[in-house]
Amino acid sequence: MNEVTRAANHIQSLAGTEKPAMAIVLGSGLGDLAAQISDPVEIPFDQLEGFPVSGVSGHCGAVICGYLGGARVMLLSGRVHYYEQGDASAMRAPIATLAELDCPVLTLSNAAGSTRQDMAPGSLMAINDHIDWSGRNPLIGAQGDQRFVDMKDAYDPALRARLQLISEDQGHDLQSGVYAWFSGPSFETPAEIRMIRMLGADAVGMSTVPETILARYHGMKVVAVSAITNYAAGMSNESLSHSHTKTQADKLKPRFIRLITGFAGSFA
Ligand code: HPA
């Protein structure tokens, strides 16, 4: 038995064997969604073989199994970022474990900076494609032909359309755009933002892309939402900091929680 099977078995021994309708990875400052989970069973990452332990404030590592909007979900609170250890595959074991548990959908979230004047802080953006500007890939070292993952429609078009409808029903615009992954942890420079805007990015951030690649490798469908916490570097007079990201994410949280709860409910 390998570590992924052992982690999956451990989760099932504590939380039961009901198949999750989806899993959710929470971004910076968006951890409060965990409080919305009913009948929660919380399993800290350090009890699960191969799971990473994050040191970033605003992230505390645990798998929370329960119900959201009536659907069976698994929430991963506390992702580990590439910039923590220089390891693009830091989330390899958690994503592989979700696949082992037969979880069909992975919903990713993050805080991000907008490169578009017409997408102000306070917006939510469904990611429709990405640019892997870090040049890293979590599948480096993986064996077999399965590693040559097709990344067209990596962000599932039908599920994005569903998310859009749910947002409209809730009375909110949901932006749609391309997310560019920068390694961090320093923020981008204004020159980098001018460059990446020319290359087609609508938002920039330090996460999500490795999890998307890993999830597609395992055949899971992916949906991803960026909470736009700021204009990207050089676009406003504001200086960027992690505390600014968390404060702004806090303001978006109620809308984010409603949207994701509504989305989960569509699987119930
Ligand atoms: N850049 C990178 N990551 C981010 C940003 C940003 O402007 N805002 C929130 N996370």
Side-chain angles (χ1 to χ4, degrees), residues 2-258:
N2 64 27
E3 65 175 18
V4 169
T5 308
R6 281 193 294 269
N9 287 349
H10 189 56
I11 290 172
Q12 287 189 327
S13 72
L14 295 172
T17 56
E18 187 179 346
K19 182 180 144 158
M22 72 168 180
I24 305 163
V25 173
L26 290 177
S28 292
L30 300 169
D32 282 8
L33 186 63
Q36 308 296 313
I37 304 281
S38 54
D39 297 336
V41 174
E42 182 165 339
I43 307 158
F45 277 5
D46 63 8
Q47 284 185 20
L48 294 165
E49 240 179 284
F51 278 50
V53 179
S54 166
V56 184
S57 61
H59 297 263
C60 75
V63 180
I64 302 156
C65 306
Y67 298 88
L68 183 67
R72 182 74 181 165
V73 298
M74 283 187 182
L75 199 70
L76 270 60
S77 157
R79 65 150 57 89
V80 170
H81 300 79
Y82 169 71
Y83 59 71
E84 292 178 58
Q85 304 282 341
D87 178 9
S89 65
M91 293 295 282
R92 186 191 55 77
I95 306 293
T97 302
L98 294 172
E100 178 90 3
L101 292 166
D102 211 13
C103 181
V105 175
L106 181 63
T107 298
L108 300 165
S109 60
N110 59 49
S114 168
T115 66
R116 270 177 23 206
Q117 287 294 354
D118 68 346
M119 184 164 69
S123 305
L124 293 179
M125 185 191 92
I127 299 177
N128 60 29
D129 202 349
H130 74 226
I131 296 171
D132 182 353
W133 187 255
S134 80
R136 311 291 160 177
N137 194 297
L139 296 177
I140 288 174
Q143 300 298 311
D145 287 357
Q146 191 193 344
R147 74 186 124 167
F148 301 108
V149 179
D150 182 4
M151 293 300 290
K152 182 173 175 293
D153 290 335
Y155 300 89
D156 191 78
L159 291 180
R160 274 193 282 127
R162 189 195 293 202
L163 194 67
Q164 192 77 45
L165 283 178
I166 291 165
S167 185
E168 279 168 25
D169 275 356
Q170 294 179 350
H172 294 294
D173 266 359
L174 180 64
Q175 302 278 342
S176 175
V178 174
Y179 175 90
W181 176 31
F182 280 77
S183 78
S186 55
F187 284 100
E188 303 72 31
T189 64
E192 286 164 345
I193 294 304
R194 290 193 297 275
M195 170 201 69
I196 208 72
R197 187 192 305 125
M198 277 194 280
L199 295 181
D202 302 292
V204 292
M206 306 177 190
S207 67
T208 302
V209 167
E211 291 101 326
T212 298
I213 294 170
L214 287 163
R216 295 303 299 141
Y217 173 70
H218 288 290
M220 298 168 80
K221 291 182 177 176
V222 174
V223 170
V225 178
S226 290
I228 302 296
T229 54
N230 55 280
Y231 281 120
M235 293 176 65
S236 78
N237 294 327
E238 247 164 17
S239 35
L240 301 179
S241 66
H242 190 54
S243 75
H244 181 264
T245 298
K246 286 189 288 184
T247 312
Q248 294 303 115
D250 236 25
K251 295 186 192 162
L252 268 159
K253 223 159 17 188
R255 244 188 87 197
F256 171 79
I257 288 173
R258 257 187 93 208

